[in-house]
Amino acid sequence: MKNNISFNSNLSKFGIGLFETIKIENEPKDFDSHMDRLYNSVKDLNIKINIDKNTLKEEVLMYIKHNNIKNKALRVTLFDEGYNISTRDIIYNDKMYNKGFKLTISPIKRGDSIIYRHKTTNYFENIYTKEYAIKNGFDDAIFLSVEDEILETSMCNIFFIKDNKIYTPNEELPILNGTMKKKIEDICAELNINIIKKSIYIDEISNFEFSFITNSLMGAMKVKSIKNIEYDNDNVLFKKISSKLI
């Protein structure tokens, strides 16, 4: 494992690298899904690395066991000079889940790019957007396309509910289709809940009854409001889905 990188690294010079953030309870959650996505990105983006997937998986599992890691967020970073494993606390708590997140709109609009479909280490737009939201009294902000389509927040996928149907941005849009998003889709299929993937425009958000966001660390978090549009505090479908994530 590499704790230092040179200035000749593509990570240092150009921000070229990939990472995954994995929730560790007693064991890593959705480990295979994270590692598969990581190495699919290696292939799709033609990133030069020197460790294969099975070897890296073994290294991660040994790191978790050796350091007795539980109830933490574990980050795996992969780049041209090697890889790094690190951990941090998970910040989400009961107060946040009970209250829900307040969202605003990012000042950054996105064009179409393959890069947005992968979890790269070039994360400045995301960090800038998150800090912009917090500075203005919100929990996170939504990226819009140049056509004003809802994409995702700085760190989450987003869903809406209306008339017992769930809506989420089309996966062909420039978004990161998260491991938790895939799990939500699988749960909806199991529960026979209709999930519709489509373009959702910012001027349509008042048409929905409920909204929630997801990522691998938070699971599912209800959205209290988007700008000045407020949503229901509870929803039957959301409760059913959330119960399957426990």
Side-chain angles (χ1 to χ4, degrees):
M1 184 175 68
K2 195 170 183 65
N3 287 319
N4 298 294
I5 60 174
S6 74
F7 283 107
N8 291 320
S9 166
N10 285 333
L11 182 61
S12 294
K13 291 191 294 185
F14 307 116
I16 296 176
L18 299 163
F19 75 99
E20 287 289 328
T21 305
I22 304 166
K23 187 175 185 178
I24 312 296
E25 292 180 346
N26 292 319
E27 59 184 24
K29 301 282 288 184
D30 305 311
F31 187 42
D32 287 339
S33 295
H34 283 285
M35 298 305 289
D36 288 346
R37 182 172 66 175
L38 182 65
Y39 276 83
N40 286 338
S41 293
V42 168
K43 180 180 178 181
D44 289 349
L45 297 177
N46 194 30
I47 294 179
K48 306 302 181 185
I49 60 166
N50 57 16
I51 184 170
D52 64 82
K53 179 166 66 174
N54 287 333
T55 302
L56 183 57
K57 287 173 70 174
E58 291 173 3
E59 292 292 324
V60 171
L61 292 173
M62 285 192 294
Y63 181 92
I64 293 169
K65 182 177 180 180
H66 178 75
N67 292 283
N68 193 29
I69 297 169
K70 294 182 180 180
N71 301 315
K72 293 282 186 179
L74 181 142
R75 171 172 165 147
V76 181
T77 306
L78 189 59
F79 53 103
D80 59 338
E81 289 188 349
Y83 68 96
N84 178 265
I85 305 170
S86 60
T87 60
R88 68 175 190 271
D89 291 335
I90 298 173
I91 63 170
Y92 306 109
N93 56 48
D94 289 343
K95 182 179 179 180
M96 292 180 182
Y97 290 108
N98 291 332
K99 184 178 180 182
F101 268 27
K102 293 170 57 181
L103 305 181
T104 188
I105 305 302
S106 172
I108 299 170
K109 284 195 173 185
R110 285 183 178 174
D112 193 11
S113 170
I114 188 177
I115 304 301
Y116 294 125
R117 298 179 176 90
H118 299 273
K119 203 170 181 71
T120 74
T121 50
N122 193 337
Y123 225 55
F124 183 73
E125 284 187 1
N126 302 67
I127 298 301
Y128 181 89
T129 290
K130 180 72 171 179
E131 291 179 349
Y132 169 87
I134 292 172
K135 180 180 178 180
N136 286 281
F138 297 88
D139 298 291
D140 204 347
I142 297 171
F143 288 111
L144 301 181
S145 73
V146 291
E147 289 83 19
D148 281 342
E149 296 161 292
I150 298 278
L151 298 177
E152 60 189 351
T153 78
S154 72
M155 297 181 183
C156 301
N157 291 122
I158 188 164
F159 297 79
F160 296 89
I161 300 178
K162 181 182 179 181
D163 297 334
N164 291 316
K165 295 178 183 178
I166 295 182
Y167 297 81
T168 193
N170 191 317
E171 60 191 15
E172 299 303 317
L173 290 166
I175 61 176
L176 180 70
N177 290 291
T179 57
M180 185 55 61
K181 180 178 180 180
K182 177 61 168 60
K183 181 174 282 191
I184 296 295
E185 292 171 0
D186 291 343
I187 290 171
C188 287
E190 177 188 344
L191 297 176
N192 293 314
I193 297 171
N194 194 4
I195 183 165
I196 299 168
K197 301 176 185 178
K198 64 186 293 288
S199 290
I200 302 167
Y201 294 88
I202 186 60
D203 61 2
E204 298 175 324
I205 60 173
S206 62
N207 297 336
F208 297 100
E209 304 158 5
F210 191 86
S211 178
F212 64 98
I213 54 176
T214 64
N215 69 34
S216 60
L217 298 183
M218 73 165 50
M221 175 81 69
K222 66 185 177 184
V223 172
K224 179 179 176 64
S225 62
I226 300 176
K227 295 187 70 177
N228 62 339
I229 304 297
E230 294 194 358
Y231 295 102
D232 292 347
N233 190 53
D234 294 302
N235 181 272
V236 173
L237 293 189
F238 180 67
K239 285 183 177 178
K240 288 181 178 179
I241 292 169
S242 297
S243 69
K244 291 285 186 177
L245 296 175
I246 298 174

